[in-house]
Amino acid sequence: LTTWNVMLAGYMKVGDMECARRIFGEMPQKDQVSWSTMIVGFAQNGCVDDAFGLFREMQKLGRSPSETTLMGCLSACEQAGAFKYAEILHAYVEKTGFTCIVEVSNALLDAYAKCGNISKARLVFERMMEKTVVSWTSMIAGLAMYGYGKEAIDLFQEMELSGMRPDGVAFISILYACSHAGLIEEGSEYFHKMEPVYGVRPSLQHYGCMVDLYGRAGLLHRAYEFVTRMPVEPN
RNA sequence: CUCCAUAACGUAAUCGU
């Protein structure tokens, strides 16, 4: 079974959905990994309708999509901005009680944010019993996408107060938020506190965010100076 | 029983309507 699954994953990875589909039809048994591989594979190759077709087919066959399959489906929604699918999946999540699985709620919150419904995303976030750094980061990034920079910063502070330690991705989100809301000083303050205060070494992506922060605000000299002085090789 | 192999939640910039 694993061997068949590996074949599915391989074909999907190179974008050969026809071969993957053929193998999927030929294999003697299928498990959750097989279904999940197909659904996520279609989604990542931009075929969201095929992905959901399989989700439906799975249910018709009386198999319950696992939490992992669900996370893949939700992640597929965001790539397509497929709000209608996000709502269907939300209903399924509620029905099955998967809401208590933090990763599933994270995926749901992120899908709503990326599909254009920030208030539903917020609702999912507020109702979560348990939050991980992924939950906080997804919410912060969601607010940032809508240009709510101030709110993103407030949430970042709230996260710190709750005792959650921000990681590298959390900093990418807050820098993204500052950049898109024109909060230049706030952004550079966060950047400069990263390593000394939080112990997170800035990566190339963080430097990229800073160049964007200055450049987007029209501070081209500052952006240029930043690029020439950064300690990692600019890409 | 333990470990290992296949899927799976947050990740900057570039995309006119």
Side-chain angles (χ1 to χ4, degrees), chain A residues 112-196:
Chain A
Y112 271 136
K114 296 217 169 89
C115 289
N117 199 324
I118 191 73
S119 53
K120 284 214 174 195
R122 186 94 213 196
L123 208 61
V124 172
F125 180 77
E126 300 300 343
R127 286 191 184 154
M128 291 176 73
M129 303 292 293
E130 181 199 349
K131 294 181 177 76
T132 63
V133 69
V134 175
S135 324
W136 288 97
T137 304
S138 303
M139 195 65 242
I140 290 167
L143 291 168
M145 277 176 54
Y146 291 81
Y148 298 141
K150 183 73 180 58
E151 289 81 352
I153 289 175
D154 289 345
L155 200 63
F156 193 93
Q157 277 163 355
E158 207 184 303
M159 171 177 73
E160 291 185 76
L161 286 174
S162 81
M164 185 65 70
R165 283 171 61 102
D167 64 4
V169 181
F171 276 102
I172 289 171
S173 300
I174 196 67
L175 293 175
Y176 175 93
C178 292
S179 158
H180 287 254
L183 302 170
I184 297 134
E185 296 318 318
E186 291 84 344
S188 55
E189 192 183 324
Y190 273 119
F191 179 80
H192 288 107
K193 286 201 297 197
M194 278 181 69
E195 187 146 27

Side-chain angles (χ1 to χ4, degrees), chain A residues 167-169 171-172 175 187-210 226 230-233:
Chain A
D167 64 4
V169 181
F171 276 102
I172 289 171
L175 293 175
S188 55
E189 192 183 324
Y190 273 119
F191 179 80
H192 288 107
K193 286 201 297 197
M194 278 181 69
E195 187 146 27
V197 179
Y198 299 94
V200 179
R201 184 181 297 265
S203 73
L204 184 59
Q205 280 185 65
H206 298 102
Y207 287 99
C209 289
M210 290 308 289
F226 194 87
M230 53 193 266
V232 297
E233 178 74 15

Side-chain angles (χ1 to χ4, degrees), chain A residues 32-91:
Chain A
Q32 288 287 347
V33 175
S34 326
W35 286 94
S36 186
T37 304
M38 289 299 289
I39 291 172
V40 173
F42 275 126
Q44 287 176 350
N45 283 294
C47 301
V48 185
D49 292 327
D50 291 287
F52 277 89
L54 278 187
F55 179 78
R56 282 263 139 88
E57 194 181 321
M58 202 176 171
Q59 287 177 303
K60 241 183 268 167
L61 293 173
R63 309 194 62 159
S64 319
S66 69
E67 64 271 30
T68 301
T69 305
L70 258 178
M71 287 188 275
C73 290
L74 285 164
S75 177
C77 291
E78 82 201 22
Q79 290 161 46
F83 180 65
K84 56 175 180 175
Y85 290 136
E87 282 194 305
I88 293 167
L89 290 170
H90 190 176

Side-chain angles (χ1 to χ4, degrees), chain A residues 67 71 97-106 128 130:
Chain A
E67 64 271 30
M71 287 188 275
F98 279 148
T99 19
C100 63
I101 299 175
V102 66
E103 288 87 352
V104 173
S105 285
N106 287 344
M128 291 176 73
E130 181 199 349

